[in-house]
Amino acid sequence: MNRDLRKTALGGLLVAMGVLVPIMFHAVGLGKTFLPMHIPVLLSGFYCGPARAMLVGFVTPLLSGVMTGMPPPFPTAWFMAFELATYGLISSLLYEKARLGVIPSLLGAMFGGRIVYGLSAFLVFPFLGYDRVPIWAPLVAAFTESLPGVILQLVLIPAAVALSERDVRRVLGLHRD
């Protein structure tokens, strides 16, 4: 099978995981705390390339919002679509193009995605009747509310990449220099 087709198929699988895994977390009341949708999107950055990872990140919250109501389709799913697209793009660019390690790539993606989320909220809030929200409020909220999820991602994703990189890269026909 063609390498690009394999990456696309893996991207589709990660979108499906991004819809299904949060359902399991929300069933036990831990969805918002541990950010389960972010995990497959961040993984796509390590395996699917920048364009596909960005698409995985953009599509996943919108599809989940329509199919499950989580996140609420407007405005949260749209904020998350831009945030997660940024996650996928930055993690892939930092890992594949800048050749940084998994943790620096994750941290860069998380920082960039959270800034995009906060700025999206700041720009849309006035249209939702929140005229007096200072720019720093959604940015601070975006960083502080998700600390348990960030910790989980910093533990789980490097472990998953380390355990699977050789096999996944071999299966996809990819090789790091």
Side-chain angles (χ1 to χ4, degrees), residues 12-13 35 52 114 150 154 160 171:
L13 176 64
L35 310 172
R52 285 179 193 81
R114 285 301 182 181
V150 168
L154 287 171
V171 168

Side-chain angles (χ1 to χ4, degrees), residues 7 10-11 14-15 37-57 60 84-102 105-106 109 157 161 165 168-169 172 174 176:
K7 286 183 174 184
L10 181 58
L14 291 168
V15 169
M37 187 179 292
H38 297 199
I39 294 167
V41 171
L42 286 164
L43 285 171
S44 75
F46 295 98
Y47 297 120
C48 297
R52 285 179 193 81
M54 187 169 70
L55 185 60
V56 167
T60 301
L84 297 183
T86 303
Y87 278 5
L89 177 65
I90 292 177
S91 63
S92 184
L93 289 175
L94 292 177
Y95 188 66
E96 289 186 14
K97 306 298 183 198
R99 310 214 45 77
L100 296 180
V102 175
S105 299
L106 277 174
I157 292 171
V161 172
E165 183 163 322
V168 169
R169 295 242 173 233
L172 292 178
L174 304 172
R176 289 185 67 84

